[in-house]
């Protein structure tokens, strides 16, 4: 390499080379991964795709009727197939920020498969929201939301957080040139990507996958609540109070087809702990199996997000060869976080059994506590120390309980606790990025960018402010939703008539 050669950095080079390959028709696959890294990413992608089985078992645990169980399975098939076609047609090009977007782009085969598994799992998270409820998503609606999330919503969010053209992506700091004058690497930033810009740390998807999927579930539950408020408002206007009281009485039919009065509809318990830890008719063995599958495949989800096990591309002379150490640290942080949070969840469940005089401990809430820890560590797993991971696990369990308490106060229908597990814990995962170790941060992104002087100094305070502000916006949205759900919606525009049945 000669004295005045200017070479684009890895992230910028990857984007420009991909654009060039579209023009000349080259196969881009051979320019991205070493053989070892290609096998690493492909194996991780296969395991991430198997997370679908974990979600299926968890959701199937909440239904008992054969028709309902078949519906859960059909919904999983449908959202998987819809997300596959949507990501192939539009999502992959959108996630890379290609201009113009290429219809059906698939030249980087392994990267395509890897990012598809993330997009598809984002769409499938929402499926557990209304499991076992009287109102259910129509299959057409399942197809539409899976197609929309995988074609536009998740790809665009991942572009902003993970691509070198993203507004909030740390990779934008690689969008310059490397000057090798006198054998020293220096970074020359473009005016649009100055080192003072804000960025979000989300290594493996606390925000781009889990917070996004959880907020989709929250939108569904809130719209359903608003629709119910509208119906109640119309009933009050048309019926006297006595008829409203009598309308709470339900009539069922016995096996002989004889009407039987079954009394009033069950009311929400006044005690939050009894509401949250009630022992229902769930198939706890299915839920446990689903959580264990998710727990196992989550290691592929986070460790595979290094997208390398041996360093950069074959032709990259500046790539460091320590990615296996980063993957190992990710696995360690995940084990410590889930372990501390799991113990906290068991202690809380045992305490609740004592104060509520329940027959046994609710194992489903322990499982959700563990999943919350895994969601929370996902965004910062590569940047924090094991002690910070230990603390994140403890806090994640209480973040999960806080989310459940808000659902209790708002009387939202969320059967599988999708919003507390994914949205609230995903929010914590973004906040935890403020506690990243600078040495780990530089280690990760200097490897990805293949540069030796990535200047992220003086960024810690700005990053902390933005991470807190980003989550504060979500809290303000929840406060507005609370106002709508308790006081009433502003206008009858949220009917889900065409999406629910």
């Amino acid at each position: 390499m000669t004295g005045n050669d200017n070479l684009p950095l890895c992230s910028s080079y990857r984007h420009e080379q991909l654009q060039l390959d579209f023009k000349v028709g080259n196969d881009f696959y051979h320019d991205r991964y070493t053989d070892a890294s290609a096998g690493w990413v492909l194996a991780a992608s296969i395991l991430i795709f198997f997370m679908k089985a974990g979600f299926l078992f968890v959701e199937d645990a909440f239904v008992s009727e054969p028709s309902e169980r078949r519906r859960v399975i059909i919904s999983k098939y449908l959202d998987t197939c819809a997300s596959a076609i949507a990501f192939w047609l539009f999502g992959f090009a959108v996630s890379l920020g290609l201009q113009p977007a290429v219809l059906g782009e698939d030249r980087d085969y392994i990267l395509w498969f890897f990012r598809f598994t993330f997009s598809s799992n984002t769409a499938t998270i929402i499926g557990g929201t209304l499991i076992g409820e009287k109102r259910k998503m129509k299959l057409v609606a399942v197809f539409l939301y899976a197609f929309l999330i995988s074609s536009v919503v998740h790809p665009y969010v991942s572009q902003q957080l993970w691509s070198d053209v993203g507004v909030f992506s740390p990779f934008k700091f690689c969008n310059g040139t490397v000057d090798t004058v006198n054998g020293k690497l220096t970074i020359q930033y473009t005016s649009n990507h100055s080192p003072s810009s804000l960025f979000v740390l989300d290594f493996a998807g606390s925000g781009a996958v889990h917070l996004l999927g959880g907020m989709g579930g929250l939108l569904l539950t809130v719209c359903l609540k608003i629709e119910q408020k509208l119906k109640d408002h119309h009933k009050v206007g048309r019926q006297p109070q006595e008829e409203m009281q009598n309308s709470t009485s339900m009539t069922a039919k016995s096996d002989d087809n004889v009407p039987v009065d079954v009394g009033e509809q069950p009311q929400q318990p006044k005690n939050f702990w009894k509401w949250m830890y009630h022992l229902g008719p769930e198939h706890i063995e299915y839920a446990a199996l689903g959580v264990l599958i998710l727990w196992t495949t989550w290691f592929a989800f986070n460790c595979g997000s290094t997208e390398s096990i041996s360093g950069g591309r074959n032709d990259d002379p500046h790539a460091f060869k320590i990615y296996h150490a980063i993957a190992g640290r990710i696995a360690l942080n995940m084990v410590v976080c889930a372990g501390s949070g799991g113990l906290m969840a068991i202690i809380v469940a045992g305490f609740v059994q004592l104060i509520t005089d329940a027959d046994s401990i609710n194992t489903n809430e322990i499982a959700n506590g563990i999943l919350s820890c895994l969601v929370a560590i996902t965004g910062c797993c590569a940047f924090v120390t094991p002690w910070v991971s230990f603390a994140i696990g403890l806090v994640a369990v209480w973040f999960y309980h806080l989310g459940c308490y808000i659902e209790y106060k708002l009387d939202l229908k969320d059967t599988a606790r999708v919003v507390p597990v994914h949205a609230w814990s995903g929010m914590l995962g973004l906040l935890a990025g403020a506690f990243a170790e600078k040495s780990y941060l530089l280690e990760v992104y200097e490897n990805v960018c293949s540069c030796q002087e990535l200047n992220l100094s003086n960024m810690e305070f700005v990053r902390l402010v933005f991470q807190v502000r980003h989550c504060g916006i979500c809290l303000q949205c929840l406060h507005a939703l609370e106002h709508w759900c308790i006081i009433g919606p502003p206008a009858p525009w949220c009917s889900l008539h065409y999406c629910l049945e």
Side-chain angles (χ1 to χ4, degrees):
M1 196 172 296
T2 59
N4 293 321
D5 290 338
N6 286 331
L7 298 178
L9 287 171
C10 175
S11 182
S12 178
Y13 170 83
R14 196 165 55 218
H15 181 72
E16 293 171 2
Q17 182 66 28
L18 189 57
Q19 294 280 24
L20 178 62
D21 286 342
F22 292 144
K23 297 177 181 178
V24 301
N26 292 336
D27 187 352
F28 180 65
Y29 165 75
H30 299 290
D31 293 325
R32 184 177 181 88
Y33 296 109
T34 63
D35 290 341
S37 295
W40 167 259
V41 176
L42 183 60
S45 302
I46 294 172
L47 288 174
I48 295 170
F49 187 78
F50 191 63
M51 295 180 82
K52 292 281 189 179
F55 286 113
L56 174 62
F57 276 109
V58 170
E59 294 178 16
D60 192 54
F62 291 94
V63 295
S64 56
E65 294 293 331
S67 60
E68 293 296 326
R69 303 180 74 173
R70 284 192 290 268
R71 187 183 185 87
V72 171
I73 296 173
I74 293 173
S75 297
K76 280 291 164 282
Y77 288 157
L78 187 57
D79 75 51
T80 303
C81 296
S83 60
I85 301 303
F87 192 76
W88 172 61
L89 288 176
F90 308 105
F92 186 57
V94 173
S95 68
L96 295 177
L98 301 180
Q99 297 295 334
V102 179
L103 187 66
E105 171 50 40
D106 59 356
R107 291 177 186 266
D108 197 341
Y109 307 125
I110 293 182
L111 179 63
W112 185 99
F113 184 39
F114 180 71
R115 294 199 175 182
F116 156 69
T117 58
F118 278 65
S119 181
S120 182
N121 280 325
T122 304
T124 205
I125 286 173
I126 304 175
T129 306
L130 298 180
I131 296 297
E133 298 293 336
K134 293 181 179 179
R135 300 300 301 276
K136 301 174 180 61
M137 291 285 289
K138 292 182 178 180
L139 294 180
V140 173
V142 173
F143 171 83
L144 290 177
Y145 83 69
F147 195 94
L148 180 63
I149 288 177
S150 296
S151 62
V152 178
V153 180
H154 173 265
Y156 181 76
V157 173
S158 64
Q159 175 200 127
Q160 298 304 310
L161 296 181
W162 291 337
S163 75
D164 61 317
V165 296
V167 175
F168 304 124
S169 172
F171 295 102
K172 65 188 175 184
F173 295 101
C174 303
N175 215 354
T177 58
V178 176
D179 189 0
T180 58
V181 178
N182 299 324
K184 183 179 179 181
L185 295 177
T186 58
I187 301 176
Q188 302 168 353
Y189 295 99
T190 62
S191 58
N192 295 330
H193 298 89
S194 64
S196 61
S197 300
L198 296 173
F199 65 96
V200 174
L201 289 179
D202 185 13
F203 182 75
S206 283
V209 176
H210 297 285
L211 179 57
L212 180 60
M215 293 303 289
L218 177 63
L219 178 63
L220 179 61
T221 59
V222 168
C223 288
L224 182 62
K225 179 66 176 180
I226 292 175
E227 183 189 52
Q228 185 61 47
K229 293 287 291 185
L230 290 172
K231 288 183 178 180
D232 293 343
H233 176 75
H234 293 315
K235 286 182 180 179
V236 170
R238 292 180 302 182
Q239 296 178 340
Q241 187 65 25
E242 293 79 12
E243 293 183 9
M244 284 295 299
Q245 293 177 354
N246 293 334
S247 65
T248 59
S249 179
M250 297 175 58
T251 302
K253 292 185 179 181
S254 65
D255 295 338
D256 299 329
N257 207 29
V258 178
V260 178
D261 187 7
V262 296
E264 295 184 350
Q265 295 180 3
Q267 300 296 319
Q268 178 174 275
K270 295 182 179 180
N271 187 303
F272 164 70
W273 298 107
K274 289 184 177 180
W275 171 85
M276 180 176 176
Y277 282 85
H278 78 282
L279 299 175
E282 297 90 354
H283 300 279
I284 57 176
E285 66 279 5
Y286 288 171
L289 178 59
V291 169
L292 289 175
I293 292 175
L294 289 172
W295 197 346
T296 303
T297 53
W298 219 298
F299 288 101
F301 193 92
N302 289 355
C303 296
S305 293
T306 60
E307 291 192 49
S308 179
I309 197 61
S310 62
R313 305 182 312 275
N314 287 317
D315 59 345
D316 187 357
H318 304 298
F320 303 121
K321 307 295 183 182
I322 56 175
Y323 256 75
H324 62 276
I326 299 175
R329 181 168 66 242
I330 292 171
L332 171 62
N333 286 334
M334 290 179 62
V335 171
V336 172
C337 182
S340 65
L343 288 176
M344 176 59 71
I346 292 173
I347 293 172
V348 173
F351 176 74
V352 171
Q353 182 194 10
L354 292 178
I355 64 175
T356 60
D357 196 24
D359 295 335
S360 62
I361 293 178
N362 190 319
T363 58
N364 284 347
E365 296 304 330
I366 297 176
N368 283 336
I370 294 173
L371 292 180
S372 299
C373 298
L374 294 172
V375 172
I377 196 63
T378 295
C380 57
C381 54
F383 313 127
V384 296
T385 63
W387 282 107
V388 174
S389 301
F390 180 86
I392 291 174
L394 300 180
V395 176
V397 174
W398 293 108
F399 253 67
Y400 166 70
H401 282 77
L402 175 62
C404 292
Y405 182 75
I406 291 179
E407 286 193 337
Y408 167 76
K409 297 298 290 185
L410 301 181
D411 192 21
L412 298 179
K413 304 298 183 182
D414 183 8
T415 308
R417 306 276 200 264
V418 168
V419 178
V421 169
H422 296 280
W424 282 91
S425 299
M427 198 182 304
L428 175 62
L430 292 180
L431 284 172
F435 299 96
E437 285 287 317
K438 181 180 179 181
S439 60
Y440 292 165
L441 190 65
L442 295 176
E443 180 185 66
V444 171
Y445 286 111
E446 283 180 353
N447 276 278
V448 172
C449 298
S450 302
C451 54
Q452 296 179 354
E453 294 185 6
L454 181 62
N455 182 18
L456 291 179
S457 60
N458 302 322
M459 293 293 298
E460 284 71 19
F461 176 74
V462 176
R463 184 179 72 245
L464 173 61
V465 171
F466 183 74
Q467 301 266 126
V468 173
R469 181 183 176 188
H470 180 78
C471 296
I473 294 174
C474 298
L475 291 176
Q476 292 177 5
C477 294
L478 289 175
H479 178 72
L481 295 175
E482 178 182 2
H483 176 83
W484 285 5
C485 293
I486 295 178
I487 300 178
W493 51 268
C494 294
S495 176
L496 301 181
H497 175 74
Y498 297 104
C499 296
L500 299 176
E501 60 184 17

